[in-house]
Amino acid sequence: MDLLEYQVKEWFDQMGIPVLPSQRIDHPTDLKRLNINYPLVLKSQVHADDRVKAGGVRIVETTIDAIATAQNIFNLPILGEFPEVLLAESKYDAQKEFYLAIVLDTALCRPVLLGCKEANIDWESPGEKMQYVVVEQEFSSFYARRLTLKMGLQGALMQSVSDIVEKMYELFIQKDLDLVEINPLAVNGSGQVMVLNGKVRVNERAINRHPEIAEMAAKMIGRHKNSKVNGIFDDWDGAEIQGEIGILANGTGSVLTTLDAVFNAGGKPGMSLNLRHSFLTDTKPTTFCDRLEKGLKILAADNTIKVILINFLGTIPDVTQMSEVIANFIQIDPQELTSYLSNGSKPKTNKLPKLVIRLAGVDFDDARKYLATLADENEQPIVVENLDEAVKLAVDLAKLQKIEKSKLEDKKQKTKGRK
């Protein structure tokens, strides 16, 4: 979850990281009651990058100019997002600009300090100009000084930047962040350092450990209800796609791999859910099996879903309970799924989607045997160990369902014609 700039700078200010005098603007008329002096910079508060090129960052000299400019920015979409808030900030005369960041390297499983004597670059872009230091042990000021030395800084400037890096790291740990970025860190003619723009990315898995962040996340989701399934995606990550094969998997990688496999096999992947983690708006603790049960019902309630493809790889919590959840699901009455429909209507079908289950890993040996015993006269559910086989079966079943539906509709039309 990425914070908006004004939220980032509130956190920076609390940590003692130098930021410019600024004021949140909720309406253009707020500019009549400014507590900062002109000239100032008005900034659109959206998540999109490159606001300057899009016209979302403007310098203004007077109140009249500021109100007119603010009105324009409020009505300016940047990559489809309209700002609900602007940031009014003092103008700063920078002589030099640097780049600083702390990022969680998931490959190393360690925080990495990044620094460059040039600004407006991407931390993911490799290059000789970007300096880095891996925090291999308990953090100390040594790591911050080492980064500034590698950047070629000296004297008072080295000390100032080093102090900022230490405070960035404190914020990084305190708030469970994936990224803290200052781009740029400006230096004026007298050597004073100042943050002109910043970015913070919160680790979504840690949001519920911080009530104030959970509240921010809930408000953010509430303001951006662009998806019709926003109301039911309240427990985990998901992707809304209009297709016939719903997907449940235990990890982002598994979800994306399954999506690609279904598409490459000629199928149409539908709504896909990652059961591994709670979604960022979740305020109550849930177990993996809780999410599995709800995920199955959500997909079954979607009339476009003909087949549910489960792909579990490696290991999951409580394998025995997982089997029981699936066993209970295949026995439920479809009419019980009303509460899982986004519009609250009744399901238009009297049967559940076909179920194909791929379980890979020694932990699933007993589960595979048990689930295989649940198969009915139509050999449902289908339990396999190979993903390609599971995907082919799911795609074939979806096509068969489509043919059967077409035949049924033709039969109804002929019957209606006779009458």
Side-chain angles (χ1 to χ4, degrees):
M1 183 186 79
D2 290 350
L3 270 60
L4 294 170
E5 181 190 359
Y6 82 93
Q7 297 169 321
V8 172
K9 287 185 173 176
E10 286 176 359
W11 281 10
F12 282 178
D13 189 41
Q14 292 168 8
M15 299 303 299
I17 297 172
V19 293
L20 290 164
S22 63
Q23 193 168 324
R24 168 177 166 163
I25 305 299
D26 295 289
H27 189 273
T29 55
D30 292 345
L31 290 159
K32 296 179 179 179
R33 297 176 291 276
L34 273 182
N35 296 320
I36 53 180
N37 297 323
Y38 289 92
L40 55 84
V41 183
L42 288 179
K43 298 182 178 182
S44 177
Q45 297 300 284
V46 294
H47 291 94
D49 293 327
D50 222 355
R51 294 172 296 171
V52 176
K53 288 184 179 180
V57 178
R58 305 276 293 277
I59 298 174
V60 292
E61 303 284 344
T62 65
T63 301
I64 295 175
D65 184 21
I67 292 174
T69 302
Q71 189 69 52
N72 290 332
I73 296 177
F74 271 118
N75 290 286
L76 175 69
I78 301 179
L79 294 182
E81 183 181 358
F82 286 91
E84 297 190 0
V85 177
L86 304 187
L87 182 67
E89 188 173 71
S90 295
K91 187 175 178 294
Y92 194 74
D93 294 322
Q95 301 297 313
K96 298 178 182 178
E97 292 185 347
F98 299 150
Y99 175 91
L100 293 175
I102 300 174
V103 61
L104 180 63
D105 190 314
T106 54
L108 298 173
C109 296
R110 303 299 304 171
V112 177
L113 312 182
L114 299 171
C116 182
K117 293 180 76 172
E118 293 183 12
N120 301 316
I121 60 174
D122 188 343
W123 69 266
E124 293 181 299
S125 300
E128 296 179 357
K129 296 179 180 179
M130 182 72 79
Q131 304 300 324
Y132 70 91
V133 174
V134 179
V135 181
E136 298 174 335
Q137 299 176 345
E138 184 177 352
F139 185 81
S140 70
S141 57
F142 160 78
Y143 287 106
R145 287 197 300 272
R146 185 178 176 188
L147 177 67
T148 55
L149 285 170
K150 293 182 74 171
M151 290 173 64
L153 305 183
Q154 297 178 348
L157 183 58
M158 182 189 76
Q159 185 60 51
S160 297
V161 175
S162 178
D163 288 343
I164 290 174
V165 173
E166 289 187 50
K167 291 171 182 175
M168 289 171 67
Y169 190 85
E170 185 179 349
L171 178 66
F172 181 84
I173 297 300
Q174 186 182 107
K175 301 291 189 181
D176 285 312
L177 305 180
D178 283 341
L179 171 71
V180 181
E181 181 182 76
I182 296 177
N183 186 22
L185 177 71
V187 185
N188 66 9
S190 61
Q192 181 188 33
V193 293
M194 188 67 62
V195 174
L196 299 191
N197 195 9
K199 185 174 184 178
V200 161
R201 180 169 298 152
V202 181
N203 188 306
E204 293 181 0
R205 318 309 170 203
I207 285 176
N208 291 330
R209 291 202 290 269
H210 304 276
E212 76 283 4
I213 301 178
E215 184 178 349
M216 291 167 66
K219 289 180 180 178
M220 194 178 298
I221 293 299
R223 286 196 299 266
H224 299 283
K225 296 181 179 179
N226 296 323
S227 170
K228 70 178 183 181
V229 294
N230 227 3
I232 54 176
F233 273 6
D234 59 355
D235 292 307
W236 57 85
D237 309 271
E240 181 189 3
I241 308 172
Q242 294 299 317
E244 303 162 343
I245 302 174
I247 295 170
L248 295 175
N250 63 327
T252 304
S254 294
V255 170
L256 296 177
T257 299
T258 312
L259 274 166
D260 287 343
V262 170
F263 181 79
N264 292 332
K268 296 180 179 179
M271 191 187 300
S272 305
L273 304 176
N274 172 17
L275 305 183
R276 175 59 70 186
H277 303 291
S278 297
F279 191 55
L280 61 88
T281 55
D282 185 29
T283 56
K284 298 178 182 178
T286 61
T287 66
F288 182 87
C289 289
D290 290 335
R291 299 192 289 276
L292 171 61
E293 179 181 3
K294 191 171 183 181
L296 285 166
K297 291 179 178 178
I298 287 174
L299 294 182
D302 187 333
N303 294 309
T304 62
I305 300 295
K306 303 295 185 290
V307 180
I308 297 176
L309 174 57
I310 295 177
N311 179 19
F312 291 162
L313 173 66
T315 183
I316 62 169
D318 204 339
V319 177
T320 302
Q321 189 180 351
M322 174 212 72
S323 301
E324 293 173 357
V325 168
I326 294 174
N328 292 334
F329 168 75
I330 62 178
Q331 298 177 36
I332 67 172
D333 182 347
Q335 300 305 312
E336 297 177 15
L337 302 173
T338 301
S339 62
Y340 291 90
L341 288 171
S342 58
N343 58 8
S345 61
K346 290 187 177 181
K348 298 177 181 178
T349 179
N350 291 318
K351 61 180 181 179
L352 298 172
K354 302 294 185 181
L355 194 59
V356 179
I357 306 168
R358 184 263 182 144
L359 302 175
V362 293
D363 289 350
F364 295 116
D365 287 346
D366 292 337
R368 275 192 297 270
K369 294 175 183 176
Y370 171 70
L371 291 173
T373 66
L374 302 178
D376 58 18
E377 64 275 8
N378 297 317
E379 297 184 350
Q380 295 294 326
I382 299 174
V383 185
V384 297
E385 191 170 359
N386 181 274
L387 178 58
D388 290 337
E389 182 183 357
V391 169
K392 185 178 184 305
L393 287 165
V395 172
D396 289 345
L397 280 170
K399 290 178 179 178
L400 182 61
Q401 294 280 90
K402 207 170 190 178
I403 293 171
E404 290 178 353
K405 182 180 179 181
S406 179
K407 287 181 178 179
L408 182 60
E409 288 177 352
D410 288 344
K411 187 176 180 181
K412 286 181 179 179
Q413 288 294 330
K414 288 178 182 178
T415 304
K416 189 176 181 180
R418 292 194 199 102
K419 291 181 180 179

